[in-house]
Amino acid sequence: VVKLHVGPVLQRLSDCNWYVRRASLKVLRQLDPAVMATEVQPFVKQLADEYWYCRKTSLEILQRLDPTAVAKHIDAVVLQLTDDHMDVRAAALAVLEGLAPRATEQHLRAVVRRLGDGHWHV
């Protein structure tokens, strides 16, 4: 039953109001990852959202999805390592941590740069 309603909630990710996008992401984050197994692209697209919370929550969802599918979008995740908001950077590192080493090896320099991040939890 839940799977039937995922589509309409995903559609709300493109709403012009950030609070609608945020609410949609909060709902989607609570779902079983198996329900959204094929839905990687909408969350990758949200990484360009103007609101930091939407970017962070999208990364948290990506962290729970199939690592092989997420690895296909690794460049978009790595780009989040330079985000202005520390929670987005930390979430991006968490996604990368869950990927196979072979998928992340070409981005090792970007990860190493984060070791000098001024915020302790990044």
Side-chain angles (χ1 to χ4, degrees):
V1 172
V2 172
K3 191 166 183 108
L4 296 175
H5 300 289
V6 170
V9 178
L10 285 170
Q11 290 174 353
R12 303 308 287 170
L13 294 179
S14 60
D15 195 278
C16 63
N17 296 304
W18 65 265
Y19 49 87
V20 173
R21 297 189 308 272
R22 180 184 67 181
S24 299
L25 286 164
K26 283 182 172 184
V27 168
L28 292 165
R29 183 177 55 191
Q30 299 304 314
L31 297 179
D32 182 347
V35 172
M36 299 179 299
T38 61
E39 303 294 347
V40 173
Q41 188 60 40
F43 303 111
V44 173
K45 185 177 178 185
Q46 285 305 116
L47 298 181
D49 196 289
E50 63 190 52
Y51 183 44
W52 72 269
Y53 187 88
C54 290
R55 296 189 304 274
K56 177 189 78 91
T57 306
S58 294
L59 287 162
E60 291 170 348
I61 293 169
L62 287 171
Q63 184 180 5
R64 299 176 61 221
L65 298 180
D66 175 34
T68 304
V70 174
K72 294 176 183 173
H73 304 280
I74 193 167
D75 291 338
V77 174
V78 169
L79 185 61
Q80 302 308 303
L81 293 175
T82 61
D83 194 273
D84 289 338
H85 204 281
M86 64 183 168
D87 289 339
V88 175
R89 296 192 306 271
L93 282 172
V95 171
L96 293 173
E97 182 181 346
L99 300 180
R102 177 164 255 186
T104 58
E105 64 188 17
Q106 69 181 13
H107 298 287
L108 191 55
R109 288 183 188 201
V111 173
V112 169
R113 275 187 236 125
R114 292 287 41 111
L115 296 176
D117 197 293
H119 295 282
W120 65 271
H121 75 281
V122 176

